[in-house]
Amino acid sequence: MSEEVGPEAVVLGEVVIPAEKISARVGELAEQISRDYAGRPPLLLGVLKGAFVFLADLARAIRLPVELDFMAVSSYGAATKTSGIVRIVKDLDTDLSGRDVLVVEDIVDSGLTLSYLRKGLLAREPASLEVCALLVKRGQQRAPIDIAYTGFEIPPIFVVGYGLDVGERWRNLPDIRAARGEGVELS
Ligand code: IMP
């Protein structure tokens, strides 16, 4: 059973990835994507809310006329452990059939959100479907994952910033930082 965590029970810890490092890595990913998708600009599919900062930076660094769309899924609610149940809160506006789709995710933890999303998106018959995830938590995946573009592998700790939240707070931090619960477990 997931536990609900109020933001007041959380304290910020060390910087795990500083803003300059994120920015350099986003540039490298964008370069790779620009090369791989030359002549077939992808539809960037941002998974809200966590991917909004990453997507904004990535999209602006890609040298192709990409299109953008958004999906919102909820796996945790206000809690911090995945339930394995993923709910689509906002669906896409775009028809995916025949499109080259690149899903842009903030963080892959258990991989359950991604594997659910992938199944649902493949049913819409895109020409191709790949994933770009800024962060992947090492050794945590409970479902097989196939990620074409990974920003950073991190240890299995709870992190906030650069779009990532706890209880909707700290998405606006420029760095990615550890977050610790006072009397509650976050990861
Ligand atoms: P998964 O289904 O376990 O892979 O969880 C993926 C989703 O959980 C991400 O898209 C985030 O919304 C959330 N999440 C997982 N780990 C963290 C974290 O360390 N900080 C903030 N959100 C997280």
Side-chain angles (χ1 to χ4, degrees):
M1 189 58 197
S2 306
E3 54 195 358
E4 303 288 320
V5 176
E8 64 288 344
V10 177
V11 288
L12 284 183
E14 73 278 8
V15 172
V16 178
I17 311 173
E20 314 77 68
K21 255 191 150 175
I22 301 172
S23 162
R25 185 68 186 126
V26 170
E28 289 172 0
L29 291 172
E31 201 45 49
Q32 212 181 329
I33 291 166
S34 302
R35 277 199 306 270
D36 293 353
Y37 286 89
R40 50 176 192 118
L43 172 71
L44 300 183
L45 196 171
V47 185
L48 295 173
K49 299 178 190 171
F52 84 103
V53 180
F54 178 40
L55 181 63
D57 285 347
L58 185 72
R60 284 178 295 172
I62 293 175
R63 294 172 290 101
L64 298 170
V66 296
E67 290 178 37
L68 295 156
D69 203 350
F70 300 91
M71 247 179 140
V73 297
S74 138
S75 53
Y76 286 179
T80 58
K81 293 237 178 196
T82 192
S83 56
I85 299 162
V86 180
R87 201 161 49 90
I88 295 182
V89 180
K90 181 219 170 289
D91 206 343
L92 299 168
D93 300 320
T94 315
D95 178 6
L96 297 189
S97 63
R99 304 296 308 264
D100 290 297
V101 177
L102 182 58
V103 176
V104 179
E105 259 280 30
D106 52 357
I107 186 164
V108 176
D109 185 1
S110 69
L112 292 172
T113 305
L114 197 54
S115 89
Y116 171 88
L117 265 182
R118 184 190 287 277
K119 253 181 243 151
L121 294 173
L122 280 174
R124 303 181 191 189
E125 303 187 325
S128 68
L129 181 68
E130 299 294 350
V131 175
C132 176
L134 179 66
L135 304 173
V136 176
K137 283 193 193 173
R138 210 171 289 132
Q140 293 300 100
Q141 286 74 52
R142 285 199 267 144
I145 51 161
D146 176 12
I147 303 175
Y149 307 94
T150 301
F152 302 91
E153 279 198 13
I154 61 165
I157 54 169
F158 200 84
V159 290
V160 294
Y162 200 70
L164 292 156
D165 76 309
V166 60
E168 292 301 327
R169 292 201 190 158
W170 289 318
R171 292 191 194 276
N172 57 321
L173 290 176
D175 303 312
I176 292 170
R177 295 181 62 167
R180 292 194 186 82
E182 303 257 281
V184 288
E185 201 198 330
L186 290 186
S187 57

